[in-house]
Amino acid sequence: MNRTIITVVGKDTIGIIAKVCTYLAGNDVNILDISQTIVQGFFNMMMIVDTSRMKIDFTTFAHEIDTLGEDTGVQIKCQKEDIFDKMHRI
């Protein structure tokens, strides 16, 4: 399994989750876990996804999801789980 961490942050608007999930489903990315909150009008979501069935390479995926964020008015970032773990070690 290729696990990836996706974070979405920005001003809350209608359809953020729908747009992200539609993109993921269209690229055969399975959502394993998801958490989202809205604090005083600001949206924050973290997802753990499985990218092992994805038909595009990770670099293309990261670029496209970043562009989706720009088009939606939020910041979307993704990192492979092993890199995320190494960066957030105490």
Side-chain angles (χ1 to χ4, degrees):
M1 184 179 319
N2 295 327
R3 291 166 42 125
T4 298
I5 310 302
I6 298 175
T7 57
V8 183
V9 178
K11 189 154 176 59
D12 187 35
T13 59
I14 295 170
I16 297 171
I17 297 172
K19 289 175 186 175
V20 173
C21 291
T22 299
Y23 173 80
L24 295 176
N27 285 284
D28 295 323
V29 175
N30 186 38
I31 299 168
L32 303 172
D33 201 356
I34 182 171
S35 172
Q36 68 94 49
T37 58
I38 299 169
V39 178
Q40 295 186 6
F42 291 94
F43 180 87
N44 184 30
M45 178 169 65
M46 182 174 180
M47 307 172 92
I48 301 172
V49 300
D50 177 8
T51 56
S52 61
R53 298 176 65 196
M54 197 166 57
K55 306 279 188 289
I56 58 176
D57 63 70
F58 189 81
T59 302
T60 301
F61 172 72
H63 175 71
E64 288 181 356
I65 205 156
D66 184 57
T67 301
L68 174 65
E70 291 173 7
D71 294 345
T72 307
V74 295
Q75 185 179 53
I76 305 176
K77 298 296 177 193
C78 64
Q79 283 185 309
K80 293 185 178 185
E81 182 182 40
D82 56 341
I83 302 297
F84 185 88
D85 286 342
K86 289 175 184 167
M87 288 181 62
H88 293 89
R89 235 189 271 168
I90 296 178

